[in-house]
Amino acid sequence: MNKNSISNFDSLPDDALIRLKDLLEFNVIPFSATTIWRKIKARTFPQPEKVSTNIIAWRCKSIREWLKSPASYKANCMHQKPESKSIVRGDENDL
């Protein structure tokens, strides 16, 4: 994101993508990058979108939704693992 074209987070449209370094630079979130990744894993922070092989970003809308109620936020996980494991081949020790 170019600093000269965007002065702050509030000026971005909801569908804009914002990278982690920009979230931290704009002081949008009061956490370090490490804490954000812990919260993502715990599903208490929005999941980022994969923009390309090495780039991830968040939709501003999802960050704004989180900011409305960070304590009660629970991320929707679109790639949930099935509840039960089935063994395709081998035995239970292969799990």
Side-chain angles (χ1 to χ4, degrees):
M1 188 165 296
N2 186 341
K3 278 192 206 178
N4 297 328
S5 64
I6 305 284
S7 61
N8 66 40
F9 178 74
D10 295 329
S11 67
L12 295 170
D14 279 347
D15 63 343
L17 290 167
I18 187 166
R19 295 180 68 182
L20 179 60
K21 67 182 180 100
D22 298 314
L23 285 174
L24 298 173
E25 183 178 308
F26 290 149
N27 295 316
V28 175
I29 332 174
F31 308 122
S32 68
T34 303
T35 300
I36 292 170
W37 288 115
R38 282 189 204 121
K39 289 182 166 294
I40 291 168
K41 186 175 181 179
R43 295 183 52 221
T44 57
F45 192 80
Q47 299 290 314
E49 295 182 22
K50 191 166 188 154
V51 178
S52 69
T53 306
N54 296 317
I55 298 175
I56 58 140
W58 288 262
R59 294 280 172 196
C60 288
K61 181 180 180 178
S62 64
I63 299 299
R64 290 182 178 123
E65 288 172 2
W66 178 84
L67 287 168
K68 288 178 188 174
S69 184
S72 63
Y73 183 88
K74 201 65 169 168
N76 292 330
C77 186
M78 297 186 68
H79 303 290
Q80 291 180 345
K81 294 179 182 176
E83 296 273 333
S84 62
K85 294 181 181 178
S86 62
I87 302 170
V88 177
R89 65 174 213 252
D91 61 21
E92 290 177 359
N93 295 329
D94 290 338
L95 292 178

